[in-house]
Amino acid sequence: MPENTGLFISFEGGEGAGKSTQIRVLAETLRARGLEVVVTREPGGSPGAEAVRHVLLSGAAEPFGVRMEAMLFAAARNDHVEEVIRPALQRGAVVLCDRFLDSSRVYQGTTGNLEPEFIETLQRIAIDGTMPDLTLIFDIAATAGLARARKRADIGATPDRFEKEELETHEKRREAYLDIALNEPRRCRIVNAEQPQEKVAEDVLSFVEPMVSKLTAISDVAE
C-alpha cells in the first residue's frame, strides 16, 4: 500500500461548537492555495457509512443498546477510511473530517459507559492505522453549544438524538474531550469555540499552517 502523502485533520467537539462552519472556511482557504481538499464527516462520508448514519442519528439503533451503536459507528468508520480517507491521503490531498474516532471515545465510551478496552479495540480495527495528523478540539460550554444547536433547529434543522440529551451529559463530554487533548498533546489542539467566528478561523489556521507548509514543501520536492 502506498505511503500516505496527504494531511488528515479531524474536527471534534460537542453539539453547537461550530465545527462545520470552520471546516468550510478552512477548506476554502486551502483550495485557494491550490491544494486538493476533501471535506467529509462521521458518521457517514462514504455511501455505506451514510446509510448507517441515518440509522444512528435517527435513534433507530438506540433500543439495541450503546454497545451495538458503537459497533455500527466502527463499521461505518472502517468503510469511510477504506473508501474515502485513505485513498485521498495517498493522492496527497488534505482531508478535513467532521468527527472521527475521538467522538466514539467520548460519546460511546465516556457517556455510554462502555469499557475503554472495548472502545479502543473497535477503533483499532475500524481505522486500521489511519490516524489524524492533527485533531482540533472545539471547546465550548455545554449551555452555549446547546443554545446554538437549538437555534439551528429553530430554522429548520431537526435536532438529532444526541442534541436532545441532558445538559450534564454534554458537560461530561466536554470534559472528556479536554482529557483527550491533555493526554495526546502532540496530535490535539484546543480551539476556544466561544470566540467570534473570525477569531476561531484565525486560530484554526494558526494550527494548520505549519502542517500545510510541510505538505507543500514535500510536494515541491517530489516534483
Side-chain angles (χ1 to χ4, degrees), residues 97-214:
C97 189
D98 188 345
R99 299 197 180 281
F100 197 58
L101 83 165
D102 294 307
S103 284
S104 290
R105 289 170 168 170
V106 170
Y107 282 71
Q108 286 76 55
T110 300
T111 55
N113 297 313
L114 289 180
E115 308 90 332
E117 297 81 6
F118 176 74
I119 288 291
E120 291 307 312
T121 298
L122 273 182
Q123 297 318 306
R124 187 170 64 252
I125 295 169
I127 69 173
D128 192 23
T130 302
M131 277 290 288
D133 299 293
L134 173 67
T135 295
L136 299 174
I137 294 177
F138 286 68
D139 181 46
I140 187 170
T143 50
L146 288 174
R148 287 183 183 178
R150 290 181 183 126
K151 184 177 180 180
R152 185 176 62 211
D154 289 342
I155 58 175
T158 303
D160 64 40
R161 84 163 198 80
F162 296 109
E163 292 174 343
K164 296 176 182 177
E165 292 172 322
E166 297 295 327
L167 179 64
E168 181 182 359
T169 300
H170 290 281
E171 279 293 355
K172 191 178 293 186
R173 287 174 183 152
R174 180 190 185 190
E175 292 302 318
Y177 273 122
L178 293 175
D179 284 343
I180 289 172
L182 181 66
N183 292 327
E184 300 189 46
R186 295 186 63 181
R187 174 173 68 91
C188 301
R189 299 290 182 272
I190 297 172
V191 177
N192 179 358
E194 296 195 46
Q195 303 175 105
Q197 285 185 6
E198 294 78 9
K199 182 61 172 70
V200 174
E202 289 177 10
D203 289 352
V204 167
L205 189 58
S206 73
F207 292 132
V208 173
E209 191 81 64
M211 307 191 80
V212 171
S213 297
K214 288 182 181 178

Side-chain angles (χ1 to χ4, degrees), residues 32-110:
R33 298 184 184 185
L35 293 168
E36 179 190 356
V37 180
V38 174
V39 174
T40 189
R41 66 178 183 176
E42 290 205 348
S46 62
E50 286 291 334
V52 179
R53 177 187 176 88
H54 174 72
V55 173
L56 288 165
L57 297 190
S58 69
E62 195 173 2
F64 299 98
V66 68
R67 191 173 295 268
M68 176 61 75
E69 277 194 336
M71 294 171 69
L72 288 171
F73 272 110
R77 179 161 299 132
N78 181 257
D79 188 73
H80 187 205
V81 166
E82 297 298 335
E83 298 298 323
V84 176
I85 296 175
R86 184 174 288 139
L89 294 175
Q90 290 171 353
R91 293 196 307 270
V94 178
V95 176
L96 307 181
C97 189
D98 188 345
R99 299 197 180 281
F100 197 58
L101 83 165
D102 294 307
S103 284
S104 290
R105 289 170 168 170
V106 170
Y107 282 71
Q108 286 76 55
T110 300

Side-chain angles (χ1 to χ4, degrees), residues 10-47:
S10 61
F11 291 65
E12 297 281 1
E15 312 305 325
K19 302 184 310 302
S20 299
T21 297
Q22 295 302 324
I23 288 173
R24 184 173 65 252
V25 171
L26 180 60
E28 290 172 358
T29 299
L30 298 181
R31 284 171 179 150
R33 298 184 184 185
L35 293 168
E36 179 190 356
V37 180
V38 174
V39 174
T40 189
R41 66 178 183 176
E42 290 205 348
S46 62

